[in-house]
Amino acid sequence: RWSHRAEISSVERREDARTTMRAVAARVSATPGARLAPNAASTARRARAGCRARTRGRGPSSTAVPTWIRPRAASAEGSSSSSSEAPPEPEPEPPARTFAKEISSIASEGLATALAAVDDRLSVAMRAEGARGPDDDDDETSASATSVARAAADAEREAVDIVACLASTGALRGFGAARLVPRRDYALSELKLNGIEAERLLSPTESTISNLRDAVSKALALVVGGWIFAAHPSGSTLAAAASVAAGALVVDQIGFGGGVEALVLDTLAQTTSTEYKARLRIHEAAHFLVAYLMGILPKGYTLSSLDAYEKYGALNVQAGCAFCDGAFQREVARGKIGSGSLGRFSCVALAGISMEYIAFGFSEGGVSDVRQLDGMLRALAFTQKKSDSEVRWAVLNTITLLRRHEACVRKLSEKMAAGASVGECVRLIEANLGDDI
């Protein structure tokens, strides 16, 4: 019965094709001197070919409907091809991340409890930041430092996992959820169209500290000159005083990386300049927010060198943010940094000066941030053109992100000035995020 129906269907299709050819021929012959149009000619040829193919009797598999009588939806729009390509298969979604039972249990206890657990682990991780210093040859000291570093690494990894687990359940909307600008090469003119003057942004001056350093140097010179004029010290006394001063400077620069000088100047600047203090706060708040939205958990922060010294008892820790960047450091150690990791690093590095530019029209602090980014691109052997492309994209992306969340940055800076923990800052960010992250 199936063969009989197929044969009847085949006969009907042959009759339809012949009817179509007759209609085409009749329309052409009705016009004196007319010639078959290309489409009509190809239609007739395909009809004859279809009849011949079907009369050869290859069975049901050879009687596919030719494209000229298929519905238009089956062919590509605007194409005259006789065949259409199948749509590409969608890429498989990455498997959902799984977490350890302990991490999932902590995350399930609620946002407040989970973020408190994050703070506990980050405080352990930050102890290693304060303990970092010159290498020591003593075996016992080295073993102790290694133990501290291992405990800090474990605590940091657990803190990141807890936050990632909270984000996967929807408890945290903003972590790693930033909407980025498209990645491509941007010209300086495109930055200007977006209200960004790169020369005012990427050339921080640190004028407050520089001016203060000059003022302190002049004041010391006046004090020394007055002492010499009043006391008339001997040559040996002057030589001894000069030796002590030079030795102190050498010890500070070599032993503490200039920490004593930075502590003195930063404390004086925060005491004498309210603008400097406001700049520093929004600078660090921008680092914190951009890192969080880009998927990097802040580990801790300080808003002054004195604060860093009081918290960690080390002069080599200055004002700034520390981040849980273990994954990035492992990529650096392997010598292979992905474009996503590099983009996050670039945006976080430029966040501080970008926020200063938004708030004040130019950037003052952040020279070390720019140098750090430049050093990273040089280490990756980027050409100048490729480096410029990376920096311009990062500038546009970071400023767009900060303009979108400027109110949140200002509230975060006030929260950080009050000494809030990382978990408390995260809760403030989540409470002030809009629908467009």
Side-chain angles (χ1 to χ4, degrees):
R1 286 193 300 272
W2 178 88
S3 300
H4 180 65
R5 285 198 300 271
E7 184 177 354
I8 294 174
S9 178
S10 178
V11 170
E12 291 176 348
R13 280 194 291 271
R14 286 201 300 272
E15 291 299 326
D16 291 342
R18 291 192 182 99
T19 302
T20 301
M21 285 191 295
R22 293 191 191 100
V24 171
R27 286 197 300 271
V28 173
S29 60
T31 305
R35 308 173 76 180
L36 276 173
N39 290 342
S42 60
T43 299
R45 285 195 298 271
R46 283 194 293 267
R48 288 192 295 271
C51 289
R52 287 194 296 270
R54 282 186 284 270
T55 54
R56 287 169 186 159
R58 292 188 179 181
S61 61
S62 64
T63 59
V65 181
T67 57
W68 61 277
I69 58 174
R70 289 178 187 166
R72 291 184 181 272
S75 301
E77 185 177 353
S79 172
S80 60
S81 173
S82 61
S83 63
S84 61
E85 297 181 359
E89 296 182 0
E91 295 182 1
E93 295 183 0
R97 182 177 175 182
T98 58
F99 300 94
K101 185 177 181 180
E102 179 187 1
I103 300 299
S104 300
S105 175
I106 294 173
S108 65
E109 294 178 0
L111 185 60
T113 304
L115 290 180
V118 169
D119 283 334
D120 293 340
R121 285 158 176 77
L122 292 181
S123 63
V124 174
M126 280 301 292
R127 290 194 196 108
E129 293 287 332
R132 289 179 183 176
D135 296 335
D136 199 319
D137 294 334
D138 185 78
D139 292 340
E140 185 177 351
T141 304
S142 299
S144 176
T146 302
S147 176
V148 170
R150 186 179 296 112
D154 292 341
E156 177 182 317
R157 183 176 60 255
E158 290 178 3
V160 173
D161 286 347
I162 293 171
V163 172
C165 186
L166 289 171
S168 68
T169 61
L172 296 177
R173 296 189 305 119
F175 184 67
R179 179 170 60 84
L180 311 181
V181 300
R183 256 192 176 278
R184 64 176 179 85
D185 293 337
Y186 290 93
L188 287 175
S189 58
E190 292 179 284
L191 297 185
K192 289 184 178 180
L193 286 175
N194 286 275
I196 303 172
E197 297 182 30
E199 61 276 7
R200 295 174 65 87
L201 170 65
L202 297 174
S203 302
T205 59
E206 292 195 343
S207 57
T208 301
I209 295 295
S210 299
N211 294 338
L212 191 58
R213 183 184 290 111
D214 294 340
V216 170
S217 300
K218 292 177 181 178
L220 288 175
L222 288 174
V223 170
V224 172
W227 171 66
I228 294 174
F229 180 78
H232 300 288
S234 62
S236 59
T237 303
L238 286 175
S243 298
V244 170
L249 288 175
V250 170
V251 170
D252 177 41
Q253 295 297 324
I254 296 177
F256 303 107
V260 175
E261 179 189 12
L263 174 62
V264 172
L265 293 176
D266 181 70
T267 303
L268 288 174
Q270 298 217 28
T271 303
T272 58
S273 175
T274 55
E275 182 180 331
Y276 174 82
K277 186 185 295 187
R279 278 181 177 275
L280 194 146
R281 288 177 178 177
I282 64 170
H283 183 107
E284 300 306 333
H287 280 306
F288 192 111
L289 178 66
V290 170
Y292 179 78
L293 296 180
M294 297 289 288
I296 302 174
L297 179 65
K299 188 190 303 184
Y301 66 89
T302 58
L303 296 181
S304 69
S305 296
L306 181 61
D307 181 33
Y309 179 72
E310 291 174 347
K311 284 183 177 180
Y312 310 113
L315 289 172
N316 60 340
V317 178
Q318 298 180 8
C321 285
F323 303 99
C324 298
D325 56 354
F328 180 75
Q329 295 299 336
R330 287 191 290 273
E331 290 186 19
V332 172
R334 290 196 302 267
K336 295 181 179 180
I337 301 178
S339 61
S341 297
L342 180 60
R344 287 190 291 272
F345 176 87
S346 302
C347 291
V348 173
L350 296 174
I353 60 175
S354 297
M355 190 61 209
E356 287 191 41
Y357 176 80
I358 292 172
F360 300 99
F362 66 96
S363 58
E364 182 177 300
V367 172
S368 60
D369 296 333
V370 176
R371 288 176 180 170
Q372 188 178 21
L373 177 58
D374 183 63
M376 173 62 68
L377 297 178
R378 288 179 183 274
L380 293 173
F382 275 24
T383 63
Q384 188 62 45
K385 182 179 179 181
K386 192 172 182 181
S387 297
D388 292 344
S389 176
E390 178 69 27
V391 170
R392 288 171 187 172
W393 172 82
V395 165
L396 181 59
N397 183 73
T398 305
I399 286 189
T400 302
L401 193 61
L402 289 172
R403 283 173 175 168
R404 195 183 305 145
H405 301 289
E406 183 176 355
C408 184
V409 174
R410 296 187 182 278
K411 291 181 181 179
L412 179 60
S413 69
E414 296 173 0
K415 192 77 171 178
M416 293 169 69
S421 67
V422 171
E424 292 171 338
C425 291
V426 167
R427 294 192 71 177
L428 181 139
I429 290 173
E430 291 289 335
N432 289 274
L433 287 177
D435 295 333
D436 186 7
I437 299 176

